[in-house]
Amino acid sequence: MVKVKTVRRESGLAVELFLPAIWDGLKLTAYHFWRNIFGKRDVVTIQYPEEHRRVSPRYRGRHRLTVREDGFIKCVACYMCEQICPAHCIHIEAGEVEDKSVEKYPVVFDIDELRCVYCGLCVEACPKDAIRMDTGIIALAFTDRDRFDYTRDMLRDAYHENEKTKFRAIPAPVTEEEALPRSRGVLPGAPA
Amino acid sequence: MELLLNPVVISLVKVLVIILLFVMVVGTVLTLMERKWMSAVQDRIGPNRANIGSFRGRGTLHIAADGLKSIFKEDTVPEGANRFVFTIAPFFGFFSAIVIWAVIPFAGPLGGFTFQITDVNIGMLLVFAVTSLGVYGTVLAGWSSNNKFAVLGAARGTSQMLSYEIFLGLSLVGLFMIVGSVRVSDLVAYQNTYWFGDVLPKWGVLTQPVSCVLFFVAMLAEAKRLPFDAPEGESEIIAGYFLEYSGMRYAAFMLAEYVAIVGIGALTVTLFFGGYHVPWLHADGFHLLGAVLPLPAWLVVLLQLGAFIGKVLFFCWLVIILRWTVPRFRFDQIMALGWKRLLPVCLANVAVTALVLLAVDGWQ
């Protein structure tokens, strides 16, 4: 049994004239015009390089290496993330550290962000919560392949501009005020 | 001094001032305003990126950016195109959009000086003649481009403009019968006479409401504005008749389109919305219900100038907002609407007007 939905078509002089419909349409367009030109601007545009769309806190963006309260990197160079990485984009070289409760730390911790598939397995594998992907940085774009090679200090929290990356090309976080809430896993403006 | 007061020199100055300082300026600004206003209607921001250093001026620099870009773009002529016709086609469209301004009065006379380039007695007939020439720009551009889409656009444009030409003229016949003249200054002066003593101005929109709508529709079709932009129909035939144009020639077509919008505004205002007249404002001041507020002549002229420009800008706005309100008619719908609906209404309007005039003036 085929079901047919019958749509009632309006007919009559008012429809044939088009004018009432055009008048209704004009009211709508003029209202939007008035509101956006003279009234409270209510536009959906995101002015991209200056403004960013809010991403979910769970969004897997560029990696970062978290730090302890004393500022030392949390990573103990256990190679878990390097082992599990399906794209083989993480390269770690361990070094010894005086603090016997830690024993090891990464002398080199490189991530090739061009090779990374952003699967998040490294974050899952980490026993120390040392690597996260919650920076909210979703658009890495450079004109030079070398600049996608992120070193340990570039991935570290509260990292600031250095000669290699020229932070301008990377979207937020740019300032420390912006970077710090993100380093606690909270995006500014995100629902708690 | 002798030379400066020469009527030819005065006319030339009027031409330059009106065309360069009003028509071209408004037309150029409209190219940006169309984009800004459309984005306002659609809850967007619109172009705002052109900048000099850190100055952006909310997108105003895009006007300069567009102009510069057009100038420096390569002016291509497609292979197999008729080079001569292809080259001259843009000027036909531009010509017809510009020349109608010869008879548009901007304000009442001040002493012996008129704010009108020329007040020929054939007035509106000149306008009809010149707007009809606009179709040459369309058909020549489309035909000479050696491009099938362009030819389609030209064919659509030609048949549409010719069809709507007919009731563009017919829609005004009722007005001409009432006023008894096609001279533009007569048509405007009539609209500053009043019903019920001096209460209700006899604006064309009140004496001929049907023909006002018809004329506006016909002018939209003449200027190929939505809902009658089938000749350009971006989603179907890319840009229609001027598809193959680039650089300044393309800009000429675009600018002609926007100048035509200002022309629609000016003609509608002049014929149906009192021209430069402010209601109840006469040459010596306001007259309402027997009360008189005398004003100096220069202030009256200034008010009239402001009123005219304000009204024209309102209609430019209306034409642009209409574009974002109504969808495009299919081509056969355009033709059916013109020939089967609007033309009979036009003729009926003429007949009814004639009968009413007879009844009012009596059987002579």
Side-chain angles (χ1 to χ4, degrees):
Chain A
M1 177 79 191
V2 180
K3 280 191 177 174
V4 177
K5 188 182 177 188
T6 316
V7 181
R8 201 170 66 88
R9 297 254 181 231
E10 303 259 343
S11 64
L13 187 66
V15 176
E16 298 280 304
L17 268 179
F18 297 121
L19 291 179
I22 291 174
W23 175 250
D24 284 349
L26 270 179
K27 277 195 292 193
L28 185 71
T29 45
Y31 164 70
H32 279 263
F33 175 83
W34 186 266
R35 190 181 63 179
N36 288 325
I37 298 279
F38 300 107
K40 189 175 136 287
R41 227 187 204 197
D42 187 16
V43 294
V44 295
T45 313
I46 296 169
Q47 299 273 316
Y48 173 61
E50 294 93 21
E51 293 174 22
H52 291 268
R53 183 182 290 278
R54 298 255 176 256
V55 296
S56 156
R58 297 173 56 184
Y59 189 95
R60 295 196 294 268
R62 204 207 73 196
H63 316 73
R64 71 189 173 96
L65 294 177
T66 51
V67 292
R68 303 192 309 214
E69 274 184 8
D70 62 5
F72 195 75
I73 200 158
K74 270 187 185 172
C75 176
V76 293
C78 68
Y79 292 86
M80 292 274 219
C81 48
E82 186 175 333
Q83 282 300 314
I84 204 162
C85 181
H88 305 298
C89 69
I90 303 179
H91 172 66
I92 303 173
E93 282 169 27
E96 278 186 39
V97 67
E98 300 285 307
D99 186 349
K100 287 299 165 196
S101 69
V102 179
E103 291 187 356
K104 286 203 296 177
Y105 83 107
V107 180
V108 173
F109 194 113
D110 289 348
I111 297 182
D112 183 352
E113 298 282 356
L114 267 186
R115 185 171 262 235
C116 176
V117 294
Y118 296 91
C119 62
L121 286 180
C122 50
V123 180
E124 302 289 330
C126 184
K128 292 286 183 187
D129 189 23
I131 185 166
R132 289 190 188 174
M133 297 180 77
D134 57 2
T135 50
I137 299 173
I138 63 174
L140 292 180
F142 302 106
T143 51
D144 188 351
R145 277 171 180 270
D146 289 348
R147 292 171 69 181
F148 289 93
D149 294 334
Y150 275 69
T151 61
R152 181 194 66 189
D153 291 338
M154 293 159 72
L155 293 163
R156 215 166 85 181
D157 267 2
Y159 153 77
H160 296 301
E161 182 168 1
N162 78 7
E163 202 44 47
K164 194 171 182 189
T165 54
K166 294 267 194 289
F167 229 108
R168 270 182 306 138
I170 309 175
V174 179
T175 63
E176 196 158 8
E177 289 130 286
E178 275 183 63
L180 282 179
R182 283 169 194 270
S183 71
R184 287 194 292 273
V186 181
L187 285 170
Chain B
M1 206 58 206
E2 279 288 297
L3 181 73
L4 284 181
L5 290 177
N6 187 318
V8 178
V9 175
I10 291 180
S11 289
L12 270 177
V13 171
K14 282 185 198 168
V15 170
L16 289 179
V17 168
I18 288 178
I19 300 298
L20 291 183
L21 287 189
F22 182 73
V23 182
M24 295 302 277
V25 168
V26 176
T28 312
V29 170
L30 277 182
T31 59
L32 175 68
M33 283 304 129
E34 164 128 49
R35 285 177 283 162
K36 285 302 262 188
W37 292 350
M38 106 169 83
S39 43
V41 167
Q42 297 167 352
D43 286 351
R44 296 185 288 110
I45 292 175
N48 63 353
R49 292 280 152 173
N51 61 314
I52 297 174
S54 61
F55 175 74
R56 284 183 171 173
R58 304 192 74 177
T60 40
L61 291 173
H62 276 269
I63 297 172
D66 290 344
L68 279 176
K69 182 184 172 181
S70 302
I71 289 171
F72 288 114
K73 270 226 160 183
E74 186 185 356
D75 181 25
T76 56
V77 180
E79 205 174 286
N82 185 324
R83 187 171 280 271
F84 175 68
V85 178
F86 188 84
T87 310
I88 61 164
F91 300 106
F92 280 97
F94 213 74
F95 172 81
S96 75
I98 290 284
V99 171
I100 59 163
W101 290 90
V103 293
I104 303 284
F106 276 68
L110 184 64
F113 184 80
T114 53
F115 290 84
Q116 186 181 13
I117 294 172
T118 173
D119 191 21
V120 285
N121 55 359
I122 53 168
M124 286 309 295
L125 298 182
L126 175 76
V127 172
F128 292 151
V130 169
T131 50
S132 310
L133 285 179
V135 76
Y136 278 105
T138 308
V139 68
L140 291 181
W143 175 77
S144 66
S145 293
N146 189 29
N147 181 310
K148 293 186 176 73
F149 285 126
V151 172
L152 263 180
R156 289 178 178 196
T158 313
S159 40
Q160 170 181 321
M161 287 166 89
L162 288 179
S163 315
Y164 278 68
E165 198 75 46
I166 288 170
F167 71 87
L168 176 71
L170 273 177
S171 66
L172 292 180
V173 169
L175 203 65
F176 297 155
M177 286 197 293
I178 293 173
V179 181
S181 167
V182 293
R183 189 192 285 267
V184 178
S185 59
D186 291 344
L187 288 163
V188 174
Y190 180 81
Q191 296 183 73
N192 207 26
T193 56
Y194 294 83
W195 279 308
F196 317 120
D198 55 3
V199 180
L200 197 58
K202 290 184 182 173
W203 280 12
V205 67
L206 298 177
T207 53
Q208 287 281 302
V210 177
S211 72
C212 175
V213 174
L214 291 173
F215 177 79
F216 193 65
V217 170
M219 282 307 283
L220 285 181
E222 277 290 301
K224 301 182 283 290
R225 288 294 297 184
L226 258 106
F228 306 107
D229 76 333
E232 288 165 31
E234 295 90 348
S235 50
E236 302 156 18
I237 49 176
I238 310 171
Y241 59 95
F242 62 93
L243 165 62
E244 289 286 2
Y245 282 85
S246 64
M248 263 332 254
R249 285 185 217 290
Y250 168 80
F253 274 115
M254 285 307 277
L255 201 57
E257 188 179 316
Y258 287 96
V259 168
I261 293 175
V262 194
I264 296 177
L267 282 176
T268 314
V269 166
T270 303
L271 295 169
F272 292 100
F273 289 85
Y276 52 78
H277 285 301
V278 183
W280 310 295
L281 179 66
H282 294 262
D284 56 346
F286 281 103
H287 292 246
L288 182 61
L289 297 171
V292 177
L293 174 68
L295 291 174
W298 61 268
L299 188 59
V300 171
V301 167
L302 219 58
L303 278 175
Q304 289 173 336
L305 207 59
F308 181 78
I309 291 174
K311 289 180 201 174
V312 170
L313 291 184
F314 171 78
F315 277 96
C316 295
W317 175 84
L318 185 66
V319 170
I320 284 175
I321 289 296
L322 262 179
R323 173 167 182 189
W324 307 107
T325 302
V326 284
R328 179 188 310 138
F329 277 110
R330 218 169 52 210
F331 184 60
D332 61 309
Q333 290 172 328
I334 294 179
M335 301 308 277
L337 183 75
W339 287 104
K340 293 183 189 165
R341 303 273 174 77
L342 297 180
L343 188 62
V345 173
C346 252
L347 294 170
N349 183 49
V350 173
V352 170
T353 308
L355 287 175
V356 171
L357 278 180
L358 265 183
V360 171
D361 296 344
W363 303 84
Q364 299 285 325

